[in-house]
Amino acid sequence: MATFFGEVVVAPSRAGLDEEEEAREETPEDREIRRELEKKREIDVLWTWQSGGRAEEPLVCSRFIVAIGRNAAAFLSSFILDSVCWEVVGVVKLWNEWCRTSSTTNVLPTDSFCLFYRLISDPTVLLCQCSCYVAEDQQFQWLEKVFGSMQKKGLQVTILSTCPVADYKTQESTLTLVSPFLKALKTKEFQEQVCCPLLEQPNIVRDLPAA
């Protein structure tokens, strides 16, 4: 605290402390705890056609729709999955600070927060409902294991996600915005017409949708 007005006060700093902490040798107990934690945070993707445990050919998929977050997952449930045209074909099991999925082998829709559905009339169309939190250190692993099971050629991926209106950056007042509203981002490879206006700068997408 300053003793008089205008005094320069040196704020506490952690500069140098990190180097000291890194210099400390990791004990065998620390290494074991770290390995166990890393193992616990590993993501498992279970597919119904891989129940035999043998390596299968990559799944032929033409369209893959991923709903990330509770609102997007609820949208899929209400407007797309509310029919008998879909079957559950896979599940993601993960563990982190905010998500504890079932540890059972045969996972039912009520046991998991990340499920894959296949269109019965066209098995190349897949949906994914991911209403659970995927931590930053698990996002690349999620992508690697999910997309590692699919053929990439000719695959069109659509991501559905939501964010609070208060996070939307615009010159007009957010109070006058008609909510909810829909915006889109697309890659240069996507040549079809988008169904809504594009997301304006400097708005960005975060977390698993961005990954």
Side-chain angles (χ1 to χ4, degrees):
M1 178 181 291
T3 56
F4 62 90
F5 181 75
E7 179 182 2
V8 177
V9 180
V10 179
S13 174
R14 288 184 56 84
L17 294 181
D18 292 338
E19 296 179 0
E20 295 176 6
E21 293 174 357
E22 291 177 0
R24 289 187 309 179
E25 185 176 354
E26 190 178 33
T27 64
E29 291 80 8
D30 292 337
R31 286 194 294 270
E32 182 64 24
I33 292 173
R34 180 169 52 81
R35 280 195 298 266
E36 288 297 323
L37 188 59
E38 290 175 354
K39 184 177 180 180
K40 197 170 186 179
R41 295 178 73 90
E42 287 183 0
I43 290 177
D44 291 323
V45 181
L46 306 177
W47 300 99
T48 55
W49 62 83
Q50 292 180 337
S51 57
R54 58 190 180 89
E56 299 283 348
E57 291 292 326
L59 174 67
V60 177
C61 184
S62 61
R63 291 179 181 268
F64 184 39
I65 302 173
V66 187
I68 300 175
R70 295 186 181 275
N71 292 332
F75 175 82
L76 277 191
S77 295
S78 300
F79 296 99
I80 299 179
L81 290 172
D82 192 18
S83 67
V84 295
C85 302
W86 302 88
E87 60 177 346
V88 177
V89 294
V91 65
V92 173
K93 292 166 56 180
L94 57 89
W95 181 96
N96 57 45
E97 297 81 1
W98 299 100
C99 182
R100 306 286 193 275
T101 59
S102 174
S103 59
T104 58
T105 306
N106 298 320
V107 184
L108 300 173
T110 55
D111 296 329
S112 176
F113 299 99
C114 191
L115 287 167
F116 299 95
Y117 297 84
R118 181 166 56 187
L119 186 62
I120 296 176
S121 59
D122 185 358
T124 67
V125 178
L126 258 65
L127 297 181
C128 175
Q129 273 186 313
C130 184
S131 58
C132 61
Y133 171 74
V134 182
E136 288 186 3
D137 63 313
Q138 296 175 314
Q139 291 171 10
F140 176 76
Q141 191 183 159
W142 193 98
L143 295 169
E144 188 178 43
K145 293 192 175 181
V146 170
F147 286 95
S149 305
M150 303 178 185
Q151 285 187 358
K152 311 299 188 300
K153 187 176 181 180
L155 174 61
Q156 183 184 106
V157 181
T158 302
I159 310 294
L160 303 175
S161 66
T162 60
C163 68
V165 177
D167 293 344
Y168 180 62
K169 297 175 177 61
T170 177
Q171 292 183 347
E172 58 182 299
S173 173
T174 55
L175 298 176
T176 61
L177 292 173
V178 179
S179 181
F181 56 89
L182 189 65
K183 299 286 182 176
L185 286 174
K186 69 182 186 71
T187 61
K188 61 182 179 180
E189 286 80 12
F190 185 80
Q191 300 298 327
E192 299 180 21
Q193 185 175 359
V194 293
C195 61
C196 60
L198 295 178
L199 185 66
E200 309 91 344
Q201 294 181 346
N203 293 286
I204 60 174
V205 178
R206 297 181 175 88
D207 300 324
L208 187 59

